Amino acid sequence: YPHTPIWRIRQRMAQEQKPRAPAHRLSCSVGGRPSPPLGRLSGETSRWLHSLEITNCLPYLEQEISLMKNLQGIVALGHIAFENVLAIYRARNKAVPRFNFTHGEVYTLDAGLPWLVASYHPSQQNTQTGRLTVEMFDRVWQMAESRLV
């Protein structure tokens, strides 16, 4: 499936019969989504709007993390989500080290904090170019599920 669009990946995941991780123990973060017309704007305007959208979404991600009292892990879908999760914990004065984003890697943030799994964002660009395949995406979720207690 080297050029599988994201809707196919989601469809395949929805059709699987095996149980998924309970939502109260695992969070999935995208950390901001550019709307489709964003790609058609000039470079500077596009970057500004994308930055604004991420800034506007961040409080919702912070609130979601705060509300999940039994949170064991977070799957960050893309580099932006990865950096936003780290920024949230650093803003709370947690001793979170600097990490380099690597797809499929599990990161231990600090004692008492959830672990973090990094995944390429399942965007059309990443799935159609083969940067993220169904098998790679499945491995991320299998890794996350295997870590849940």
Side-chain angles (χ1 to χ4, degrees):
Y1 305 162
H3 304 295
T4 306
I6 184 59
W7 64 268
R8 273 273 193 241
I9 293 173
R10 289 182 181 143
Q11 183 182 41
R12 178 175 169 190
M13 291 175 69
Q15 290 173 347
E16 287 183 4
Q17 295 303 312
K18 61 183 177 179
R20 285 280 169 207
H24 65 281
R25 295 186 300 169
L26 181 67
S27 177
C28 175
S29 164
V30 291
R33 293 176 271 179
S35 54
L38 204 55
R40 290 184 237 137
L41 298 173
S42 68
E44 191 60 35
T45 304
S46 176
R47 282 189 293 279
W48 179 80
L49 285 173
H50 190 118
S51 176
L52 180 63
E53 186 170 16
I54 291 168
T55 302
N56 289 340
C57 289
L58 202 52
Y60 295 101
L61 178 59
E62 288 180 85
Q63 184 180 26
E64 181 181 353
I65 289 172
S66 295
L67 291 172
M68 297 179 76
K69 301 300 180 198
N70 297 320
L71 183 62
Q72 294 178 27
I74 299 171
V75 177
L77 299 180
H79 189 257
I80 293 170
F82 179 81
E83 290 299 331
N84 283 343
V85 169
L86 297 178
I88 287 169
Y89 285 112
R90 287 184 188 124
R92 295 177 180 179
N93 295 319
K94 302 296 183 182
V96 177
R98 297 272 172 220
F99 294 113
N100 290 323
F101 176 89
T102 303
H103 173 82
E105 191 71 31
V106 179
Y107 300 88
T108 303
L109 303 182
D110 194 17
L113 296 181
W115 39 263
L116 177 62
V117 177
S119 173
Y120 292 134
H121 188 279
S123 66
Q124 188 174 18
Q125 178 181 354
N126 286 344
T127 57
Q128 289 187 349
T129 60
R131 183 174 194 185
L132 179 65
T133 64
V134 171
E135 291 78 16
M136 291 168 68
F137 203 54
D138 282 349
R139 277 194 299 274
V140 164
W141 293 106
Q142 290 164 1
M143 186 183 322
E145 286 177 330
S146 72
R147 296 184 63 86
L148 294 174
V149 183

